[in-house]
Amino acid sequence: MLSFLAKKTTKNYLRGFSTNIISEQVLQRTIQRCSERNIVIPTYDEMFNPQLIPNEIQNDLSNIGLWDINPRNLFRVTWKNEQKEFGGGFGGANYIEIPKELSGVDARIIVLLGKYLPTGSHKVGASFGPIVEKLVRGGFDPTTQKALWPSTGNYCRGGAFNSELLGCQSLAVMPEGMSQERFDWLESIGSEIYRTKSTESNIKEIFTKMHQLEKEMGDSLVVLNQFTEFANPMWHYAVTGRTMEELYNQLATPRSNFKGLFLNQGSGGTLGSSMYLHQKFPNMKTACGEAIQCPTLLENGYGKHRIEGIGDTYVPWILNLKDMDLLVGIDDQDCVDLLRLFNEKPGQEFLLKKGVEKSLVDRLSVFGISSIGNLLGAIKFAKYYEMKKDDFIFTVATDSAALYQSRLKSFNQKLGGYTQENAISHYYGSLMKQNIQYMQELSYYEKKRCHHLKYFTWVEQEGKSVKELDQQWDDDYYWIERMEEYKNLNHLIRSFNQRSKDLKKSYSIPKYSYKENEASFH
């Protein structure tokens, strides 16, 4: 599979999404709405390279906050925002490099930071793809339909944010066990929220509520399911993967090696970046993580865990298992312990004593719980393959500790105030202790075993066809053509924007008032 992709990068295989317009009538109404509200949609190329963004829009952004409900913030759906709460421009990719004092390994671990995207999470990008792909093809009417975002948290928030920017009403379906910050923010922007009696591990309950709402609301509802929408991994293929490649080329020396990518499974979206990177670095490895408390891929298992946002008990329809090389189990207790170590004063003081630079200690709040899971997975990945100082591993910090302050408060109430003894225990017992337990290198047939797990969720329960399930495995073109669809969408977005601009010239548009929202930036 990887050698095939490496050889096919110069051609365009697009047998996936049709770029035909679904409904010209709906498209005209959508263009009218966007024209009235002065909404311009960025292309994937502009999100990867903000220097392509028109000067007029960049000037507008100088007066807009990172989390403001203003359609110009669609152009901040990029890894390259200036680290400012208000009026920021663009620069290089936001990242942290993890030193050996914190990782215990020689490999260079590079972490892209989701904190500096609107809503404080990169899921705003994952939700951009599905809604825009429908808007520019007349597949979703924002004047008559609502967007439903089923999720375990950040995808709901990103979807609601993008819906507001694009003038659409939104509904969020989310487990009641997720952090309070997620619900508070959704309520602040007026999204309809449906809480399922479940936690991170109970995706079935989310789907049940989703189908109930579909039945009740009929054609007035459009479901944008992150676990099935190929425009989710396509955003990461087109933006995250290319950003990682660019950053590696900036940091690498002649002796450097792009060794791998570690990401937790989640919805399968961020792992879309792997399909891009494998074309550029055919010898790299991709590692996929999950909680050992719910070892779905590792052991066909089940259970519950506390690493909010990484999914389990099912295999996402949009996850390409042929592209995975290694499975890594992460202990949720380690993630909880390190959230406290990184954010409590005694923990930070201990890290300084261990030689971690103060400039890095001061920034460790950029790691949320699932982001810490990604860090631990990258460490285990490096240890498994005995990586050296010239070897690079990339991962992402999906969100930051700003979204888990209620969790930190709860831990202190239940466990007592954080002490130096806790810091010592967590540094050695939850960070430096990471080893190669709960890991499996995947052969061809082990990848196929994981792929077949999709059957039970998607064919038996959700109505997908066995034919397409088999096609995902057998057809070498299936995945790459769906990811390369972003190039066609670039053309559709440009056409959409031009039609909106032309329409605007024909009448006078009143000034539209946008809501603002205080950011959880710090």
Side-chain angles (χ1 to χ4, degrees):
M1 178 66 175
L2 304 185
S3 60
F4 170 84
L5 292 179
K7 294 175 182 176
K8 298 297 181 181
T9 55
T10 59
K11 295 186 178 181
N12 196 11
Y13 295 96
L14 298 173
R15 301 181 300 166
F17 292 128
S18 167
T19 55
N20 294 333
I21 300 304
I22 295 172
S23 169
E24 179 60 32
Q25 187 178 26
V26 169
L27 181 59
Q28 288 177 6
R29 287 199 296 269
T30 304
I31 291 171
Q32 173 83 20
R33 164 69 67 86
C34 289
S35 181
E36 290 171 351
R37 299 190 176 200
N38 196 25
I39 295 169
V40 183
I41 299 173
T43 65
Y44 286 85
D45 288 343
E46 288 169 330
M47 288 183 284
F48 163 63
N49 180 10
Q51 300 307 315
L52 299 175
I53 297 172
N55 290 333
E56 176 189 355
I57 290 174
Q58 295 199 45
N59 291 336
D60 289 346
L61 288 170
S62 66
N63 295 305
I64 297 170
L66 182 62
W67 287 42
D68 286 355
I69 306 300
N70 186 301
R72 288 294 185 261
N73 266 338
L74 288 169
F75 286 87
R76 285 190 167 127
V77 182
T78 174
W79 292 102
K80 299 177 179 179
N81 291 310
E82 188 177 359
Q83 296 179 16
K84 291 177 63 176
E85 186 172 351
F86 184 88
F90 303 101
N94 292 308
Y95 76 97
I96 278 180
E97 180 168 353
I98 305 301
K100 187 174 182 178
E101 292 81 4
L102 197 62
S103 69
V105 298
D106 291 322
R108 298 184 66 177
I109 298 175
I110 308 298
V111 187
L112 289 185
L113 302 179
K115 174 182 172 69
Y116 302 108
L117 278 80
T119 76
S121 169
H122 74 64
K123 288 288 188 177
V124 74
S127 57
F128 172 94
I131 192 170
V132 168
E133 186 264 330
K134 290 175 174 54
L135 282 172
V136 300
R137 295 173 60 231
F140 174 42
D141 188 344
T143 69
T144 62
Q145 295 177 307
K146 296 181 179 181
L148 173 61
W149 305 94
S151 169
T152 57
N154 281 328
Y155 180 78
C156 279
R157 295 171 62 254
F161 185 81
N162 284 325
S163 297
E164 287 290 315
L165 301 191
L166 291 163
C168 314
Q169 291 182 282
S170 65
L171 290 75
V173 177
M174 190 165 65
E176 64 182 4
M178 307 309 287
S179 68
Q180 187 60 40
E181 287 84 352
R182 287 167 162 83
F183 293 106
D184 291 344
W185 188 84
L186 285 166
E187 290 172 354
S188 76
I189 66 166
S191 180
E192 294 181 42
I193 304 172
Y194 295 87
R195 293 172 168 86
T196 59
K197 293 187 179 299
S198 55
T199 64
E200 169 74 20
S201 303
N202 301 97
I203 301 299
K204 180 66 168 64
E205 285 77 2
I206 295 174
F207 291 166
T208 298
K209 185 63 179 180
M210 177 186 78
H211 292 313
Q212 177 190 335
L213 292 170
E214 280 185 293
K215 185 176 181 180
E216 292 173 357
M217 302 181 70
D219 292 340
S220 67
L221 192 68
V222 173
V223 175
L224 297 152
N225 188 341
Q226 65 174 328
F227 308 106
T228 59
E229 292 281 346
F230 286 98
N232 172 2
M234 181 177 67
W235 187 86
H236 289 288
Y237 177 95
V239 181
T240 304
R242 293 161 78 193
T243 300
M244 289 178 173
E245 177 197 20
E246 178 185 71
L247 185 54
Y248 171 76
N249 288 334
Q250 292 170 4
L251 298 174
T253 70
R255 295 177 62 87
S256 295
N257 302 296
F258 193 112
K259 282 289 190 175
L261 173 72
F262 176 89
L263 294 164
N264 283 306
Q265 179 197 151
S267 67
T270 318
L271 281 160
S273 61
S274 173
M275 287 183 274
Y276 176 84
L277 292 168
H278 263 134
Q279 296 176 62
K280 302 299 180 180
F281 309 101
N283 295 322
M284 64 168 277
K285 302 284 187 182
T286 298
C288 177
E290 61 183 2
I292 62 172
Q293 287 76 15
C294 188
T296 306
L297 293 173
L298 278 166
E299 299 178 9
N300 295 4
Y302 51 88
K304 295 183 179 181
H305 69 84
R306 296 170 293 172
I307 311 175
E308 298 184 32
I310 71 167
D312 46 29
T313 69
Y314 69 101
V315 180
W317 184 250
I318 57 173
L319 178 60
N320 179 4
L321 273 305
K322 267 193 171 180
D323 203 44
M324 302 300 106
D325 301 296
L326 184 74
L327 301 179
V328 182
I330 308 298
D331 191 331
D332 69 353
Q333 186 61 53
D334 292 341
C335 296
V336 169
D337 291 345
L338 294 181
L339 183 70
R340 302 186 77 196
L341 177 70
F342 290 174
N343 290 278
E344 300 287 0
K345 187 175 180 180
Q348 295 169 345
E349 290 174 345
F350 182 77
L351 291 173
L352 291 172
K353 293 178 182 178
K354 299 305 296 182
V356 182
E357 294 288 340
K358 187 177 187 303
S359 59
L360 177 56
V361 172
D362 290 344
R363 298 188 69 198
L364 290 177
S365 63
V366 296
F367 288 92
I369 296 179
S370 66
S371 307
I372 293 170
N374 279 338
L375 172 60
L376 295 180
I379 292 169
K380 289 169 70 77
F381 189 16
K383 289 185 176 181
Y384 186 89
Y385 286 111
E386 300 179 326
M387 294 185 189
K388 310 303 182 194
K389 64 179 181 179
D390 293 318
D391 298 332
F392 278 74
I393 301 173
F394 277 75
T395 188
V396 304
T398 307
D399 58 20
S400 73
L403 301 180
Y404 301 94
Q405 294 303 302
S406 62
R407 291 288 190 234
L408 288 166
K409 182 178 179 180
S410 175
F411 297 148
N412 285 334
Q413 290 172 343
K414 293 179 181 178
L415 304 172
Y418 199 75
T419 66
Q420 185 178 43
E421 287 72 22
N422 293 140
I424 294 170
S425 173
H426 294 161
Y427 179 80
Y428 288 107
S430 299
L431 187 57
M432 292 299 154
K433 78 158 191 182
Q434 296 300 319
N435 54 41
I436 61 173
Q437 284 185 301
Y438 305 108
M439 301 179 72
Q440 182 183 25
E441 196 163 9
L442 297 176
S443 68
Y444 174 88
Y445 287 102
E446 285 159 345
K447 294 179 184 182
K448 194 172 186 178
R449 169 188 66 80
C450 294
H451 174 77
H452 285 166
L453 290 175
K454 291 184 181 182
Y455 176 87
F456 304 101
T457 299
W458 301 110
V459 177
E460 288 194 341
Q461 299 176 26
E462 295 297 317
K464 297 292 186 182
S465 70
V466 172
K467 180 179 179 181
E468 187 174 359
L469 180 68
D470 291 340
Q471 187 183 11
Q472 286 187 350
W473 186 260
D474 295 330
D475 185 351
D476 283 334
Y477 293 97
Y478 180 94
W479 293 100
I480 194 65
E481 66 194 10
R482 281 162 175 76
M483 299 303 101
E484 286 283 303
E485 180 66 16
Y486 85 87
K487 296 176 181 177
N488 282 342
L489 285 172
N490 277 338
H491 294 301
L492 289 174
I493 291 168
R494 293 188 188 102
S495 174
F496 183 98
N497 289 336
Q498 186 60 51
R499 289 178 65 178
S500 175
K501 183 178 180 180
D502 292 344
L503 183 63
K504 192 185 304 180
K505 295 176 182 177
S506 65
Y507 58 87
S508 177
I509 302 174
K511 182 177 177 61
Y512 192 84
S513 176
Y514 295 99
K515 293 184 291 183
E516 292 186 354
N517 187 73
E518 291 187 7
S520 298
F521 188 82
H522 298 294

